[in-house]
Amino acid sequence: MEKGKISSLQMAFMMYPTIVATAMLGVPSITAKYAKTDLWLSPIFAALIGYLTVYIAYKLHKIFPKQTVFQFTEKIIGLIPGKIIGFLLLFFYIQNTGIIVRDYAEFVVSSFLVNTPISVIMASMVLLCAFIVRGGIEVLGRAAELFVPVFIFPICIVILLLIPDFDFMNIFPVLGNGLMPPIKGAIVPGGWFSEFFLIIFLLPFLADMKKGLKSGMMTVFAVMMTLIVVNLLVLFVLGGTTPSKNYPLMNTSRYISIADFFEHVESAVMAVWIVGAFLKISVFYYVSALGTAQWLNLSDYRPVVWPMGILIVIFSFWSLPSSIDVNRNDIMAFPLQGILMQTIIPLILLVIAVLRKRKRKGTETS
């Protein structure tokens, strides 16, 4: 079905923007509502979900080395229950791909292309991603390798240019209300960290399999550090007003002004968002197309790509009627859905698989 191979570094480059791209724009304000001045601590607690998810995915892969979750679920819990779990997971990924496309389009329309129909922005992005998904995992890996430096560089430039506007006193008091506020603030980014379960679809295609777990764990650490830096950046510039901003990173970039000449650097944030969203949508799109083909027992996933693109655009329209509902979904629904579908259910599958493996060994020994 998929003959391509990627390196562990390419897998890391695919996963990094997949988590960070959408998390760093909207999540700081959501985290600040709960954690206040301790919002920079929340990614540390949220990363624990990421580490656990990567470990679960790797262990499942070790038991079923050449299969993805849609294939080995049927072996673990049986054909019918496996198909049901597979369908729920597939629906989750297709729906969330649509919501990511909608999130991207809402940001572009509200911040820049105010008079452009949102349908044009969504359809053009899905069309672009469809070409790269049809190219296969190798093309996706190479694109990630090419675009991740483009994704990281503008963030570094924005941080350097904002240093004169930093008010370091905004970080105090540290843990003024104890550990609970940053832990509560970690629930929403925890949903993003649960997306590391996507590596279960990439591990079977790794050329250097032994580096899979290390690469996954290092990516979780890189994402955690990026979110800590972004949260501190927002806190030092915006302070107590952070919870009231929809896109705090965009608001901070508007503070940059050097000699009344070098201004409007929010275009750099826009570039980061577009590159990151492109890679994130492509990875989710690829997983949805591959998963559909495996769930239907097809020999190739490529015939599914174009119909899947149409379905994703439809979901991006129908799932949530307005930008308010998109924000509410990001806060209320997605974190719990993400942790349930990508961490808790895989953990249950891993426990059942390990118990069955031990029972089988015990039977063979006796």
Side-chain angles (χ1 to χ4, degrees):
M1 184 175 288
E2 173 62 82
K3 306 297 182 185
K5 289 287 181 182
I6 56 170
S7 66
S8 57
L9 181 65
Q10 286 176 324
M11 183 184 78
F13 279 170
M14 288 166 71
M15 290 309 304
Y16 177 79
T18 296
I19 314 300
V20 169
T22 48
M24 71 180 188
L25 274 186
V27 171
S29 66
I30 300 168
T31 304
K33 287 182 173 72
Y34 300 98
K36 308 301 182 197
T37 55
D38 295 321
L39 76 159
W40 61 279
L41 289 170
S42 293
I44 299 172
F45 296 110
L48 297 176
I49 295 172
Y51 287 122
L52 176 62
T53 305
V54 168
Y55 181 77
I56 291 167
Y58 185 77
K59 282 294 182 183
L60 283 167
H61 169 71
K62 290 291 283 183
I63 299 170
F64 305 98
K66 294 184 179 179
Q67 298 177 338
T68 69
V69 65
F70 293 104
Q71 295 167 314
F72 62 65
T73 303
E74 297 172 20
K75 292 186 177 180
I76 295 173
I77 58 175
L79 181 61
I80 302 301
K83 285 290 185 186
I84 293 169
I85 294 293
F87 176 78
L88 292 174
L89 195 61
L90 192 58
F91 183 81
F92 170 80
Y93 280 125
I94 296 171
Q95 183 194 29
N96 275 285
T97 308
I99 291 171
I100 295 162
V101 173
R102 178 65 175 271
D103 241 333
Y104 155 78
E106 289 283 356
F107 171 73
V108 172
V109 168
S110 63
S111 302
F112 294 94
L113 306 178
V114 181
N115 296 319
T116 306
I118 195 168
S119 56
V120 173
I121 294 169
M122 289 193 292
S124 58
M125 176 55 89
V126 171
L127 179 65
L128 187 63
C129 293
F131 285 113
I132 203 166
V133 170
R134 272 189 67 85
I137 196 165
E138 284 188 8
V139 176
L140 195 51
R142 287 170 190 162
E145 217 169 12
L146 177 67
F147 285 125
V148 163
V150 178
F151 177 79
I152 295 171
F153 183 70
I155 302 173
C156 298
I157 295 297
V158 167
I159 292 168
L160 290 172
L161 293 176
L162 277 170
I163 289 174
D165 295 294
F166 282 2
D167 182 357
F168 295 100
M169 297 305 292
N170 287 342
I171 200 172
F172 297 107
V174 177
L175 294 176
N177 296 312
L179 275 173
M180 280 313 293
I183 290 173
K184 286 180 181 176
I187 294 171
V188 171
W192 268 260
F193 275 97
S194 71
E195 290 178 352
F196 272 101
F197 186 66
L198 288 166
I199 70 167
I200 197 74
F201 298 95
L202 308 179
L203 287 170
F205 308 115
L206 281 191
D208 44 353
M209 187 60 63
K210 292 179 181 177
K211 296 180 182 177
L213 181 62
K214 181 182 176 182
S215 179
M217 293 297 186
M218 289 298 291
T219 311
V220 175
F221 180 77
V223 170
M224 179 188 76
M225 291 306 299
T226 304
L227 292 182
I228 290 171
V229 169
V230 168
N231 284 3
L232 282 171
L233 172 71
V234 168
L235 179 63
F236 288 153
V237 176
L238 298 178
T241 63
T242 303
S244 63
K245 312 292 185 184
N246 285 332
Y247 304 111
L249 190 61
M250 176 66 71
N251 293 102
T252 57
S253 65
R254 287 175 177 147
Y255 278 73
I256 296 171
S257 179
I258 298 174
D260 293 327
F261 171 73
F262 192 74
E263 296 177 329
H264 302 295
V265 188
E266 59 265 27
S267 57
V269 179
M270 175 71 168
V272 168
W273 172 256
I274 289 175
V275 170
F278 167 69
L279 291 172
K280 177 162 190 164
I281 293 164
S282 296
V283 170
F284 268 80
Y285 192 164
Y286 175 79
V287 165
S288 300
L290 183 68
T292 301
Q294 290 174 339
W295 191 77
L296 294 171
N297 296 321
L298 302 178
S299 58
D300 189 13
Y301 75 92
R302 285 172 180 81
V304 178
V305 171
W306 294 113
M308 184 60 63
I310 296 167
L311 194 60
I312 287 168
V313 174
I314 290 169
F315 265 103
S316 64
F317 274 113
W318 285 356
S319 294
L320 301 164
S322 68
S323 59
I324 297 169
D325 294 295
V326 172
N327 291 332
R328 191 180 293 128
N329 176 78
D330 289 344
I331 299 169
M332 304 295 292
F334 172 71
L336 300 177
Q337 285 178 352
I339 294 169
L340 173 65
M341 297 301 297
Q342 299 176 115
T343 305
I344 295 174
I345 290 177
L347 178 60
I348 294 168
L349 290 172
L350 177 60
V351 170
I352 295 170
V354 169
L355 290 174
R356 284 194 168 185
K357 192 176 180 182
R358 284 182 182 174
K359 187 179 178 182
R360 201 179 302 119
K361 281 185 178 179
T363 307
E364 288 171 0
T365 307
S366 60

